Amino acid sequence: MLDKKVAMESIREKRAAFENACRDAGLRLTHQRLEIFTELAVVADHPTAETIYERIRKKIPTISLDTVYRTLATFARHGLINKVETVESQARFEVKIMRHHHLTCRKCNKITDFQWESLDDVSLPVEISRWGRVENKNVIVYGICSECMGDDI
Ligand SMILES: [Zn+2]
Ligand SMILES: [Zn+2]
């Protein structure tokens, strides 16, 4: 019960932060935008636009996949959400939370967050400064998750 309450608080906080960020970015806070953002904030499973659309459609039957795509692109452009890099053709999205990296299962494609503070503190090789300006460094670790390994045993 307590976990649920904490989760609700955290969603409310994220929504409040989102509303402020929209105002700062000069984005109109529409019902659809708020629903799409909340959907992303509730489940941290890095969904694709299609997955978000399937979930949102239960609440807003009139919404189109195109609207979901465009809204996510707008959010990402304004830095309200992150587009997660993957090897799949479909982009995945997440609400910005504390700095983290990703574990990707090659079998079920599930993406899991993890923290790696010691890496965050490491400075990059000097050659990189000649290459250009680094905006962020994120690590993606690929492998087989324990659930998928269990299938093979
Ligand atoms: Zn897996
Ligand atoms: Zn993530």
Side-chain angles (χ1 to χ4, degrees), residues 11-81:
I11 289 162
R12 212 167 305 149
E13 265 170 41
K14 282 178 192 156
R15 265 173 92 131
F18 173 71
E19 286 170 27
N20 285 332
C22 276
R23 226 166 288 140
D24 291 346
L27 278 181
R28 211 155 42 88
L29 194 67
T30 62
H31 174 61
Q32 287 188 342
R33 282 180 175 162
L34 194 59
E35 282 297 338
I36 291 172
F37 179 83
T38 306
E39 198 51 55
L40 261 181
V42 174
V43 199
D45 62 349
H46 309 84
T48 62
E50 272 88 4
T51 310
I52 296 166
Y53 168 67
E54 290 303 329
R55 291 174 189 167
I56 289 280
R57 224 160 44 134
K58 295 185 187 113
K59 286 183 212 159
I60 314 174
T62 52
I63 202 161
S64 71
L65 177 59
D66 191 52
T67 302
V68 174
Y69 268 117
R70 277 187 289 113
T71 306
L72 291 169
T74 306
F75 287 173
R77 202 168 54 241
H78 285 88
L80 302 172
I81 61 169

Side-chain angles (χ1 to χ4, degrees), residues 44 46 82 84 94-95 97 100-102 111-114:
H46 309 84
N82 281 338
V84 181
E94 69 183 355
V95 166
I97 51 164
H100 67 273
H101 304 276
H102 291 119
I111 301 176
T112 309
D113 293 339
F114 76 100

